[in-house]
Structure formats: C-alpha cells, structure tokens
C-alpha cells in the first residue's frame, strides 16, 4: 500500500468515528423518521373502572360516574383538551372524514399535559336536574357535570323501536397546535348512550 491508500483509509475510519460520536447528539436536535405510528388514545370507563357497566337507564337527581382518559403516543409531550358535549339522536356527531368536531358547544372541558408514552385519567360525575316528559317527547332542561350546572334544553322524541328517550354524553379529544397556538380537534371521540327513564 502506498501513502495515498493509507491516507484514504485513515480518512474513512476517522469519518466513521466522527459519525458514531456525533449521531447521538444530532438525533437529539433533528428528528429522524422512526417508522412508528404516532397516535393518541381516548377512552371512557364505567364506574367500576372497567370497559362496561356504563350508566344507561338514567333518572332525575341521580348522580352517575364514569372515567375519561387519554393516552399519548405522539412521540412528544402534548397538551390535550377533552370537550364534553351532550346531544340527542338527531344532533350531529364529529365528522371523521373531514376531521371536524361536532358543532355543538362544549359544556365542560378538561385540559392535561401528557408526557409521551404516558396516560391521564379523570373521574366525571353527571346528573340530570330538571327533566320534562310529555306523551312522545322528553326535554332535559338542566344537567350537571362535576357539580357545575348547565342549561341544555335538549329535546328527544320517543324511540318506539328501542323503547326510550335517547341522549349521548360525548367526549371529544383536542390537541394543542404549537404553530397556531390553539387547540385543534384530534379526530378522536367516544360517547355513552343514555335512556331517560323517569322524570
């Protein structure tokens, strides 16, 4: 081997060593695609902290309990908001195809900062405080969520096929966008159906 071959081999080995030393530092600053799917979870558990035994047949002035939770798998710590909405069967759900939230106004909001790979969960207590029943219709005037009272004035018609007056307690997940400095609907929602059985 001549001197030029030694110089080339020395430069290749030196460059490889520099890359081995520098890569961990650069990877802290520059995100490299990992091929891992980034997503968030949203769930509702029943009063026994299980995916079941949800309140269904509900009455006036009775408290009901569920748990709502968020799991962060976005690859970074994220700020979330969970909007609690209340709807009857004819009012719109979020549109998953267009990533649009339900146009209904939120009654209650939770905010949480969740580290990557972590979960956050909170209890939700709700009650119906004023309900009017007529022949084939029901009107929920007031309800409470975590002891905060809301005027909802939400009507429902009798569902003869399923024998009930049906409503849905809806939870939407919103994610804080640092660029726009605002929360944006994160295309996740869950809900529980409720049948108002007596006033």
């Amino acid at each position: 081997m001549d001197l030029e071959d030694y110089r080339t081999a020395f430069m290749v080995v030196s460059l490889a060593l520099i890359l081995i030393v520098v890569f961990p530092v650069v990877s802290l600053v520059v995100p490299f695609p990992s091929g891992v799917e980034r997503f968030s979870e949203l769930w509702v558990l029943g009063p026994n902290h299980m995916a079941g035994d949800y309140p269904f047949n509900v009455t006036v002035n009775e408290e009901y309990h569920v748990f709502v939770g968020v799991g962060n798998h976005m690859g970074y710590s994220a700020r979330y908001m969970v909007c609690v909405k209340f709807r009857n069967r004819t009012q719109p759900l979020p549109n998953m195809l267009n990533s649009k939230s339900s146009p209904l106004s939120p009654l209650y909001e939770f905010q949480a900062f969740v580290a990557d790979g972590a979960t956050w969960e909170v209890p939700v207590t709700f009650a119906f405080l004023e309900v009017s029943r007529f022949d084939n219709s029901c009107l929920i005037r007031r309800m409470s969520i975590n002891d905060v009272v809301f005027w909802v004035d939400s009507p429902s018609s009798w569902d003869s096929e399923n024998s009930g007056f049906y409503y849905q307690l809806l939870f939407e997940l919103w994610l804080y966008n640092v660029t726009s400095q605002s929360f944006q609907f994160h295309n996740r929602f869950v809900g529980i159906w409720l049948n108002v059985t007596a006033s």
Side-chain angles (χ1 to χ4, degrees):
M1 287 179 78
D2 63 7
L3 185 60
E4 191 63 35
D5 291 337
Y6 282 113
R7 185 180 301 158
T8 303
F10 177 75
M11 290 183 68
V12 169
V13 169
S14 297
L15 183 61
L17 288 173
I18 289 170
L19 288 175
I20 290 170
V21 170
V22 171
F23 182 77
V25 175
V26 172
S27 68
L28 293 173
V29 179
V30 178
F32 293 97
S34 65
V36 176
E37 182 182 359
R38 304 295 181 196
F39 64 98
S40 300
E41 298 174 86
L42 176 67
W43 64 82
V44 175
L45 299 176
N48 297 319
H49 226 150
M50 304 285 287
D53 297 326
Y54 297 104
F56 179 65
N57 292 318
V58 295
T59 60
V60 179
N61 295 319
E62 180 85 23
E63 283 194 341
Y64 300 95
H65 307 278
V66 294
F67 295 87
V68 63
V70 174
N72 179 3
H73 306 280
M74 295 296 291
Y76 58 88
S77 295
R79 187 172 162 197
Y80 292 97
M81 177 170 62
V82 177
C83 293
V84 184
K85 299 182 177 182
F86 186 69
R87 62 180 288 272
N88 63 31
R89 290 178 301 127
T90 63
Q91 292 172 310
L93 284 167
N95 186 329
M96 300 294 281
L97 296 177
N98 297 327
S99 296
K100 299 284 186 189
S101 67
S102 167
L104 299 170
S105 297
L107 297 177
Y108 199 92
E109 296 173 354
F110 297 97
Q111 289 189 26
F113 191 78
V114 184
D116 182 43
T119 61
W120 166 86
E121 196 173 81
V122 66
V124 180
T125 300
F126 63 94
F128 300 100
L129 307 177
E130 188 176 342
V131 177
S132 299
R133 293 276 297 270
F134 307 101
D135 291 338
N136 290 318
S137 64
C138 176
L139 176 65
I140 297 180
R141 296 184 185 278
R142 290 185 308 132
M143 70 177 295
S144 68
I145 300 173
N146 288 356
D147 297 323
V148 179
V149 177
F150 301 94
W151 286 92
V152 291
D153 287 325
S154 183
S156 180
S157 299
W158 177 256
D159 183 336
S160 56
E161 185 178 331
N162 297 303
S163 301
F165 295 107
Y166 291 100
Y167 293 89
Q168 189 177 38
L169 193 61
L170 184 68
F171 300 89
E172 292 179 345
L173 186 61
W174 293 61
L175 179 65
Y176 189 77
N177 183 317
V178 178
T179 306
S180 66
Q181 296 186 345
S182 63
F183 282 100
Q184 296 178 338
F185 179 57
H186 196 40
N187 220 24
R188 305 275 189 281
F189 71 94
V190 293
I192 58 170
W193 283 104
L194 304 166
N195 176 23
V196 181
T197 58
S199 57

